[in-house]
């Protein structure tokens, strides 16, 4: 039987009693959706999944985004299931070695936002028995709730421009990333987009701060200097220790998290010879704002009441 054990921290729960290599019953999917909204980050330990399983499970939540900036590589099986790794073969990285290594929200730079990240841990670096390369999250429901009332009121209808290039250039400039500069073609594929600053979360019905240091470049309704100052305030606010939670990985953890209610970063505390290998699907919010999609979550909530 599927069980959900909250971590007791500001985010996170462990889901047991389910084999994600098998089809999910509707009610179990509903319970997972509900728990995802409530806890933001769900860990499914000891899952034995192949690429097809990861893709099938991910597609339950919405459409999968392929590579954020290039056309899908159809020469390998399951191109939608990305590789995050510092493994090199013939001098070339087999996947993105430094993906997500500072605070951001995946796909806030797209017109259709991201909803869920599905990340499967295959090789986890360890030093002295301790896992490295954790993933850290911050809770954007809690961040919204803790904002001063005057900011919530003044910016209630504000919108934010998000730009993919901001994070890319930050990684090159400040993190010694070996990424090449973005090409004009890549810029054309990822123009800046606009989203509301505050969202009503479709699962929890609560407000969340939808803004992140990785991609947010401008609060459109404020003059530029005021926007810069307010963004700096929001970035500091949302990263306060009381909103943060670190997931420490085990091999065969399948972790999913909700991009609408959290921001995250990959912790780069391991060296080039300490191997990390993950597979990832980035799922867009193509379904979650549709009330029909949320029916299993409503059923699960009714059953639990
Ligand atoms: C990501 O930002 O999507 C990757 C997080 C991680 O590798 O821990």
């Amino acid at each position: 039987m599927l069980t959900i054990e909250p971590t007791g921290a500001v985010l996170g729960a462990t889901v047991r009693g389910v084999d994600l290599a098998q089809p999910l019953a509707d009610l179990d999917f509903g319970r997972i959706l509900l728990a995802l909204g409530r806890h933001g980050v769900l860990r499914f330990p000891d899952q034995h999944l192949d690429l097809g399983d990861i893709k099938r499970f991910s597609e339950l939540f919405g459409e999968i985004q392929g590579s954020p900036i290039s056309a899908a590589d159809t020469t390998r099986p399951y191109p939608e299931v990305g590789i995050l790794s510092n493994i090199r073969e013939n001098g070339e990285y087999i996947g993105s070695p430094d993906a997500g290594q500072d605070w951001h929200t995946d796909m806030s730079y797209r017109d259709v936002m991201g909803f869920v990240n599905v990340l499967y841990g295959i090789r986890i670096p360890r030093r002295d028995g301790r896992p490295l390369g954790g993933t850290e999250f911050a809770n954007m429901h809690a961040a919204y709730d803790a904002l001063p009332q005057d900011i919530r009121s003044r910016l209630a209808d504000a919108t934010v421009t998000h730009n993919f290039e901001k994070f890319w250039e930050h990684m090159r400039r400040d993190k010694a990333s070996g990424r090449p500069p973005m090409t004009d073609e890549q810029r054309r594929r990822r123009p800046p987009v606009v989203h509301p600053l505050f969202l009503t979360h479709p699962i929890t019905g609560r407000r969340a701060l939808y803004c992140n240091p990785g991609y947010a470049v401008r609060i459109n309704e404020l003059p530029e200097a005021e926007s810069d100052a307010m963004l700096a305030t929001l970035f500091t606010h949302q990263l306060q220790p009381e909103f943060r939670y670190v997931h420490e990985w085990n091999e065969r953890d399948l972790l999913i998290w909700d991009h609408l209610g959290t921001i995250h970063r990959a912790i780069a505390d391991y060296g080039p010879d300490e191997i990390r290998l993950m597979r990832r699907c980035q799922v867009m919010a193509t379904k979650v704002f549709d009330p029909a999609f949320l029916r299993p979550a409503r059923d699960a909530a009714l059953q639990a009441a």
Side-chain angles (χ1 to χ4, degrees):
M1 192 186 113
L2 184 146
T3 62
I4 294 163
E5 301 155 24
T7 58
V10 70
L11 286 166
T14 300
V15 185
R16 299 184 197 277
V18 62
D19 176 359
L20 299 179
Q22 304 300 323
L24 266 183
D26 254 18
L27 195 62
D28 283 347
F29 181 61
R31 293 187 65 202
I32 289 169
L33 266 183
L34 202 58
L36 183 62
R38 285 182 181 160
H39 304 293
V41 181
L42 300 181
R43 168 180 177 239
F44 299 79
D46 200 27
Q47 296 290 328
H48 295 253
L49 305 175
D50 63 23
L51 299 185
D53 298 327
I54 298 171
K55 175 173 186 271
R56 186 174 28 76
F57 177 65
S58 301
E59 281 175 337
L60 294 177
F61 297 92
E63 193 181 317
I64 300 173
Q65 156 171 273
S67 161
I69 52 167
S70 31
D73 172 5
T74 47
T75 58
R76 61 180 174 87
Y78 298 106
E80 316 83 342
V81 187
I83 306 174
L84 307 187
S85 187
N86 57 352
I87 296 176
R88 284 176 193 255
E89 277 173 11
N90 306 319
E92 298 282 322
Y93 287 112
I94 63 167
S96 309
D98 60 7
Q101 291 185 351
D102 211 342
W103 289 99
H104 67 289
T105 301
D106 291 24
M107 292 172 282
S108 75
Y109 54 79
R110 290 200 60 157
D111 46 355
V112 180
M113 305 166 184
F115 171 34
V116 175
N117 234 18
V118 177
L119 195 60
Y120 185 51
I122 298 170
R123 290 184 64 183
I124 308 302
R126 284 175 200 280
R127 207 178 294 155
D128 304 325
R130 199 173 62 82
L132 301 171
T135 309
E136 185 167 21
F137 299 90
N139 183 329
M140 292 305 106
H141 283 100
Y144 175 83
D145 290 346
L147 271 177
Q149 183 56 49
D150 68 304
I151 294 186
R152 289 198 288 188
S153 307
R154 195 150 57 90
L155 297 179
D157 299 317
T159 61
V160 174
T161 298
H162 297 250
N163 190 343
F164 182 81
E165 193 168 9
K166 179 184 182 189
F167 190 82
W168 190 274
E169 282 307 316
H170 164 61
M171 291 300 291
R172 282 170 39 78
R173 194 182 53 240
D174 308 321
K175 301 275 181 181
S177 173
R179 313 165 179 215
M182 276 178 76
T183 62
D184 288 344
E185 168 60 12
Q186 287 168 332
R187 264 188 221 103
R188 196 190 55 72
R189 289 177 69 92
R190 285 290 165 258
V193 299
V194 173
H195 294 301
L197 173 62
F198 303 137
L199 291 180
T200 298
H201 194 287
I203 300 174
T204 63
R206 291 172 55 200
R207 298 286 271 170
L209 172 59
Y210 191 72
C211 183
N212 67 87
Y215 299 115
V217 291
R218 180 74 192 259
I219 299 178
N220 300 309
E221 292 73 14
L222 298 182
E224 189 170 353
E226 231 183 289
S227 162
D228 288 350
M230 180 54 73
L231 283 177
T233 300
L234 293 175
F235 297 156
T236 304
H237 170 81
Q238 68 188 167
L239 290 176
Q240 292 176 79
E242 61 267 37
F243 305 143
R244 286 159 71 160
Y245 166 73
V246 177
H247 172 73
E248 294 198 335
W249 286 89
N250 274 307
E251 291 78 3
R252 291 187 296 281
D253 275 348
L254 190 283
L255 197 74
I256 67 174
W257 65 89
D258 163 29
H259 289 309
L260 304 175
T262 66
I263 64 173
H264 69 280
R265 66 169 178 161
I267 301 175
D269 59 355
Y270 53 98
D273 299 326
E274 294 171 305
I275 296 302
R276 189 178 194 257
L277 172 61
M278 326 291 277
R279 299 300 299 231
R280 176 179 73 173
C281 284
Q282 296 173 292
V283 182
M284 298 186 282
T286 48
K287 291 183 179 173
V288 68
F289 289 100
D290 174 358
F293 171 74
L294 294 175
R295 189 188 46 75
R298 279 196 302 275
D299 292 347
L302 282 175
Q303 205 201 43

